[in-house]
Amino acid sequence: MKKAKTEIEETVVFRPGGTDRAIRELAQATHRLTTRRIRDSLPGRIATKRLVLRAPIRGDVPDLVRLADNKAIAEKLVRLPSPYTRADAVGFVEIFAQRPDERPYAITLGDRLIGVIGFTFFEGKPPELGYWLGEPHWGKGYMTEAARALIEAAHRTHHFELIAARALADNAGSLNVLEKVGFKRVKQTRREAGKIKDRPTVSLELVRPRWM
């Protein structure tokens, strides 16, 4: 006597948001991989006439604290903590600087850190240039020199077709640096949140020259 075959039907359960969540996670993973590739296309060390741009290291912590713990700098930046502590400096070197969506460089003069410059990468947006310079070194052209060198290095990778930047409308020094290295103003808005909420902010963009 033959046994009757038993048919087992598989039931596919569609959970609300399951497919959308999978699509979002795939998009996020793709963004991380793309960002990492672009981030890693940048050189590890950039030398100029007076400066060297390199990865932040633990030995930079004392200079980071000494220079970044300055209200004159913090009041112009969205993400710089104030007061700026040793824990902030260690976290910057060991955590923030290792993130795939960040590529900071220590700006060094004679092997000593004098500021920070780098790119932040956003999904669906151009990379954004950000920086700060220790107050004892203002007015000497160091930031313009560092920004120009980093932008030229980025353009040589051919991954940076458009670079964005932002500065407070009353931050004449930063706007002057950005315009010296080729950025053009595109709009002015007001921050809706954070420590510089409601302060006018200028958005700028830089298109990669065709000859680069």
Side-chain angles (χ1 to χ4, degrees):
M1 181 177 178
K2 294 183 179 180
K3 293 182 180 181
K5 294 182 179 179
T6 302
E7 292 184 359
I8 301 175
E9 294 184 358
E10 292 186 2
T11 302
V12 178
V13 179
F14 292 94
R15 295 182 175 83
T19 302
D20 290 341
R21 183 172 61 251
I23 292 172
R24 286 197 302 272
E25 291 174 352
L26 178 60
Q28 290 168 358
T30 301
H31 170 65
R32 285 194 297 271
L33 288 172
T34 301
T35 299
R36 175 68 75 176
R37 178 169 60 86
I38 296 173
R39 180 188 191 274
D40 292 347
S41 71
L42 291 164
R45 184 179 184 275
I46 303 170
T48 72
K49 184 177 180 180
R50 298 178 293 176
L51 309 170
V52 171
L53 279 57
R54 56 157 174 78
I57 59 175
R58 190 65 179 263
D60 294 327
V61 167
D63 288 326
L64 278 167
V65 176
R66 178 175 59 85
L67 296 173
D69 188 25
N70 183 337
K71 289 184 179 180
I73 296 174
E75 68 181 6
K76 294 179 173 63
L77 303 176
V78 174
R79 298 192 296 176
L80 193 71
S82 182
Y84 193 93
T85 67
R86 186 177 186 280
D88 294 318
V90 172
F92 171 76
V93 172
E94 298 189 350
I95 300 174
F96 182 89
Q98 310 305 320
R99 287 171 45 175
D101 58 346
E102 301 286 350
R103 184 59 191 265
Y105 287 82
I107 304 172
T108 64
L109 176 68
D111 296 328
R112 296 291 299 272
L113 179 143
I114 64 170
V116 173
I117 190 170
F119 292 113
T120 297
F121 299 92
F122 300 97
E123 186 174 0
K125 297 180 180 180
E128 184 171 307
L129 180 71
Y131 51 79
W132 63 264
L133 188 69
E135 189 171 4
H137 306 286
W138 292 358
K140 300 175 183 178
Y142 292 140
M143 187 52 72
T144 301
E145 187 174 330
R148 182 173 285 118
L150 178 55
I151 289 167
E152 289 177 356
H155 283 162
R156 284 194 291 270
T157 71
H158 290 248
H159 289 305
F160 293 76
E161 296 299 325
L162 182 66
I163 299 172
R166 287 179 288 181
L168 290 171
D170 60 2
N171 189 351
S174 186
L175 289 170
N176 185 48
V177 167
L178 291 169
E179 290 175 334
K180 274 186 176 180
V181 298
F183 279 85
K184 304 298 182 184
R185 302 187 190 205
V186 293
K187 64 180 179 180
Q188 181 169 310
T189 57
R190 289 182 181 270
R191 291 275 188 172
E192 296 180 357
K195 62 182 181 179
I196 60 172
K197 181 181 178 181
D198 295 331
R199 296 177 66 183
T201 302
V202 179
S203 296
L204 304 95
E205 291 181 348
L206 173 63
V207 178
R208 183 172 70 88
R210 292 183 179 181
W211 53 267
M212 287 293 289

